[in-house]
Amino acid sequence: MARSKPNARNALKKLREQREELDAQEARLREEAAGELGKVLLECGAETIEPAQLKQLIRASLTIGIDDALKRLSPT
């Protein structure tokens, strides 16, 4: 059997299929990561923090950097 030469249409079709597979994989991994983070929140008692405050805390920590945020919060 002779193999047909790949063309741009077939390459685009394959790329779209791969993108859909990656999108599905990303969604699944995001759900798993959220579950893991939820367990961490329960383990440290942070489930009592209001969601808006938690977002604010995380955004502020990311702005200054996680390591710097931990240094600022750690007792000396």
Side-chain angles (χ1 to χ4, degrees), residues 24-75:
Q25 183 180 10
E26 180 182 9
R28 181 182 53 78
L29 290 172
R30 284 178 172 270
E31 288 291 324
E32 288 178 21
E36 291 171 7
L37 289 171
K39 288 178 185 177
V40 170
L41 289 172
L42 291 173
E43 288 172 1
C44 69
E47 72 275 7
T48 59
I49 299 173
E50 291 294 324
Q53 290 175 321
L54 183 59
K55 280 183 187 179
Q56 186 178 6
L57 178 63
I58 292 170
R59 284 186 179 138
S61 297
L62 291 173
T63 299
I64 64 172
I66 296 296
D67 291 333
D68 286 340
L70 290 173
K71 286 177 189 173
R72 289 181 185 190
L73 293 170
S74 297

